[in-house]
Amino acid sequence: MSNEYFPGIDTIKYEGPDTDNHLAFCYYDENKEVAGKTMKDHFRFAIAYWHSFCGDGSDPFGIGTHNFPWDKTSDPVENAKYRLDAAFEFFTKLGTPYYCFHDRDLAPEGDSIEESEKILQSLVSKAKEYQEDTGVKLLWGTANLFTHPRYMNGAATNPDFEVVCHAAAQVKAALDATVELGGENYVFWGGREGYMKLLNTLMKKEQDHLGEFLRKARDYGRSIGFEGNFLIEPKPMEPTKHQYDFDSATVIGFLQEQDLIDDFKLNIEANHATLASHSFAHDLTVAAERGLLGSIDANRGDNQNGWDTDYFPTNLYDAVEAMIVLLENGGIEPGGFNFDAKIRRNSTDPEDLFHAHIGGMDTFARGLIIADKIMNDADFKKIRYGRYASFDEGNGKKFENGELSLEELRNLAAKSGEPKTISGKQELLENIVNRYI
Ligand code: XLS
Ligand code: NI
Ligand code: NI
C-alpha cells in the first residue's frame, strides 16, 4: 500500500506470552473464551480518536512533538480526510472492533453552525464507508464542548443563554452523526460544566440547566431513533476547579433528581476515579451495583501527582480488580473499553501508538484471565460471600425484607449478647489474588 501511514507494520496477531515480537499480543487472543465469552466480546475495545489522531504531544510548556503525516495540506478539512484514512488503517491493523470520537476530532469547526454541520456531515459519510468496508464500529460519539473559547464559562451550564444554544447545536449535530454511524452509546463528559469560583456562580441554577439540557438531548436522540445508552462520564476537576459530575455516586444522585435515570448510565474513566480519591474499582462498583455501569474509559493516573495523566493502563493489579467488578456485572455490553489514553510527548515513533495499545489490551486480557481464576477460587468465594451469611435466613433475612422494627432489633441484641469477633480476612484475600497473579 503506497498511502500507508504506518508502513512496515502488519496486522497485530496473538502470539502468546513466549513471543519476542513486540508487535504481537501476548495475552489478548480475541477468539479465546474466558468465563463463557470470547475476549473480543468481553472488552469491545475502542480507540479514542482524539488522543491517537489529534493529540500532538503538546503540553503547557511546549508545542507538539508528534509528527502527523496526515497533515499534508494547509486545508484542515482535507487533512481531516487523510486523518480518517490513517485512523482506519490503525484500527484494522490493531484489530480493535470499535472507535470513539468528538465531533471536532473528526471534522474541524467551520465559520458558522451551518458550515460546521456540513463539514461534519462530509466526514461522517466517509467514516460510514470505512465502517462498512472494514467492519469497525462506533462505540460512542460525543461533542467537544470545552475547547472553543465560547465555552470558557461552561457549555450547558454557561451563565449566558446564547452559549447554551451553541452547545445544543453541537450536541444535535453530534447525535445526528452518532445515529448515522450506528453508534451504540452517546457520551457527555462535562469538561467545563463546573465552576472556578463560587463567588460568581449560582450552582443550583447551573445544575438545573444541565438537567434540562440533557433531557432535551435525550428527547432529540430518541426522536431520531437512537436506542443506545446515554452516558455521563464523571470527573471531579480539570479543567474546572470543581466539576459537577464529580464521581459515580454524585452523578447517580443527579440522574435521579433530574429524571434521567432511565436513559443514562455512566462511563467510568480510571484516571477520573483516582482524581476523585477513589480507586478505579470503587467507581466501577458504585455504578455496577446500581445497574448503571455503561462503559469504560481505560487509562491510568500517576501515584506521584494528581493530574489526568491519561497513561496507557499497564497496572495489572488495577486491571484484575476492575475485571472482578466486570465479571460480577456480567460484562459491559453495549459499552466497551475505550482507550482514553495518550502516548507520551517523547514517544514519537509511529509504532509507539501500537505498543501503547497492545500493552493496554494485553493488560486487561491478563486481568480477565486472572480475575476469572480468582472468582472461581473456593476460598475466595466462601470468604467474600460468606461474610454476609447471617442475612441469608432467620432474622437477618427478615431485616433485609423490612420486617423488623428498631425496637425488635434492640430486643434481638439484648437477647443474643455481645457478637462474636469475626475476621474480615483481608490479608488472606490479598494472598489469594497474588497467587493467581
Ligand atoms: C477528559 C475526558 C474526555 C472524555 C470525552 O478528561 O476523559 O476525553 O472521555 O469527552
Ligand atoms: Ni474520558
Ligand atoms: Ni479523562
Side-chain angles (χ1 to χ4, degrees), residues 236-311:
M237 64 190 84
E238 203 198 273
T240 57
K241 171 192 149 40
H242 180 98
Q243 216 152 289
Y244 295 138
D245 299 331
F246 196 92
D247 60 0
S248 286
T250 311
V251 171
I252 290 170
F254 173 81
L255 292 177
Q256 263 153 354
E257 188 196 354
Q258 294 290 340
D259 192 24
L260 293 163
I261 200 88
D262 293 337
D263 296 273
F264 281 73
K265 290 189 171 174
L266 276 66
N267 182 39
I268 305 298
E269 178 162 324
N271 203 164
H272 296 182
T274 52
L275 276 180
S277 297
H278 302 308
S279 66
F280 181 28
H282 170 96
D283 250 26
L284 289 174
T285 302
V286 171
E289 290 190 337
R290 284 160 183 77
L292 293 173
L293 179 54
S295 201
I296 285 176
D297 268 9
N299 62 13
R300 174 170 57 93
D302 187 307
N303 288 341
Q304 279 78 48
N305 66 33
W307 308 320
D308 193 11
T309 56
D310 290 340
Y311 290 142

Side-chain angles (χ1 to χ4, degrees), residues 352-423:
D352 291 330
L353 198 57
F354 282 88
H355 291 307
H357 285 88
I358 290 169
M361 291 162 80
D362 266 348
T363 301
F364 276 106
R366 220 172 148 188
L368 169 67
I369 295 167
I370 294 166
D372 181 47
K373 288 184 183 148
I374 293 169
M375 291 187 63
N376 284 308
D377 182 285
D379 291 329
F380 179 83
K381 281 201 269 198
K382 203 165 76 200
I383 297 168
R384 183 174 167 89
Y385 304 103
R387 288 186 83 200
Y388 300 89
S390 60
F391 293 92
D392 289 348
E393 55 190 16
N395 287 322
K397 185 92 224 159
K398 274 190 173 171
F399 167 78
E400 281 195 351
N401 292 340
E403 292 163 8
L404 291 176
S405 70
L406 194 67
E407 296 98 304
E408 285 169 319
L409 294 171
R410 181 257 165 218
N411 293 342
L412 286 169
K415 208 168 92 193
S416 64
E418 187 55 30
K420 286 195 298 290
T421 300
I422 303 175
S423 169

Side-chain angles (χ1 to χ4, degrees), residues 213-250:
F213 187 94
L214 294 175
R215 285 189 295 275
K216 289 301 184 281
R218 171 199 60 194
D219 294 347
Y220 178 73
R222 294 301 183 223
S223 80
I224 59 166
F226 177 67
E227 290 174 359
N229 287 324
F230 294 96
L231 304 175
I232 292 200
E233 184 177 321
K235 187 177 183 182
M237 64 190 84
E238 203 198 273
T240 57
K241 171 192 149 40
H242 180 98
Q243 216 152 289
Y244 295 138
D245 299 331
F246 196 92
D247 60 0
S248 286
T250 311

Side-chain angles (χ1 to χ4, degrees), residues 98-118:
Y98 288 95
Y99 71 112
C100 302
F101 63 72
H102 300 85
D103 50 356
R104 302 300 185 236
D105 308 332
L106 207 61
E109 184 158 358
D111 288 333
S112 65
I113 287 184
E114 288 80 3
E115 199 194 345
S116 298
E117 288 170 346
K118 224 171 96 201

